[in-house]
Amino acid sequence: MKALILAGTMALAASFAGAQQFDYGFAGLMGKQNRSDLPDLTLGSGKPVAEGPISLKSGGYYKMKIVADGSAELALSGGDFFRAIWINEIVINNIEIRPLGVHSLEFDAAGEAEISFIAIMPGTFELAIPGTSGDSQKAVFTIQ
């Protein structure tokens, strides 16, 4: 019986030794070749947040930078937008954050955050500076 167990264990070990190594890097949909870079969003006193409306495709993989110039303490808020996407990561100062949910990002000083995400739910959504109403103080995203 011990010989049978030993033979089975050796056969299992041999099969693992010959197994291919898996690369859990971002392949498939989330490979860099499938990612589209979006225009940067800007946070600055009196500056427009976005150059214009941004169109996304449901199921598309995107990367977007939010750049604050430090001229004022500003945030971008948009719970509806963040619920319409799946966030892969937010990178701040080379620190990768993989959140379960986001409502807003606030910059107290100059800095940059990079968000990579997959657009999920079709519709029109906004990321806006809280307490503002001007069209230039928000980014409008349409997911088709």
Side-chain angles (χ1 to χ4, degrees), residues 10-101:
M10 295 295 282
L12 186 59
S15 69
F16 281 130
Q20 293 180 354
Q21 294 289 350
F22 290 101
D23 178 10
Y24 291 106
F26 296 111
L29 173 64
M30 293 178 55
K32 288 183 180 181
Q33 72 278 9
N34 291 326
R35 185 180 67 208
S36 298
D37 292 338
L38 298 176
D40 294 352
L41 300 185
T42 304
L43 286 176
S45 185
K47 294 182 181 177
V49 172
E51 297 172 6
I54 300 169
S55 294
L56 308 174
K57 183 177 177 184
S58 181
Y61 180 41
Y62 300 95
K63 181 174 79 169
M64 171 178 68
K65 288 183 184 177
I66 301 170
V67 181
D69 66 7
S71 60
E73 185 175 319
L74 295 170
L76 275 180
S77 181
D80 288 343
F81 172 73
F82 288 119
R83 284 187 293 277
I85 65 174
W86 175 80
I87 299 174
N88 175 44
E89 68 182 7
I90 299 173
V91 180
I92 303 168
N93 293 332
N94 294 320
I95 299 170
E96 298 174 0
I97 303 161
R98 292 190 167 75
L100 291 175

Side-chain angles (χ1 to χ4, degrees), residues 41-50 72 74-77 126-140:
L41 300 185
T42 304
L43 286 176
S45 185
K47 294 182 181 177
V49 172
L74 295 170
L76 275 180
S77 181
E126 297 178 352
L127 283 178
I129 297 174
T132 63
S133 58
D135 286 340
S136 67
Q137 301 303 290
K138 62 185 173 186
V140 177

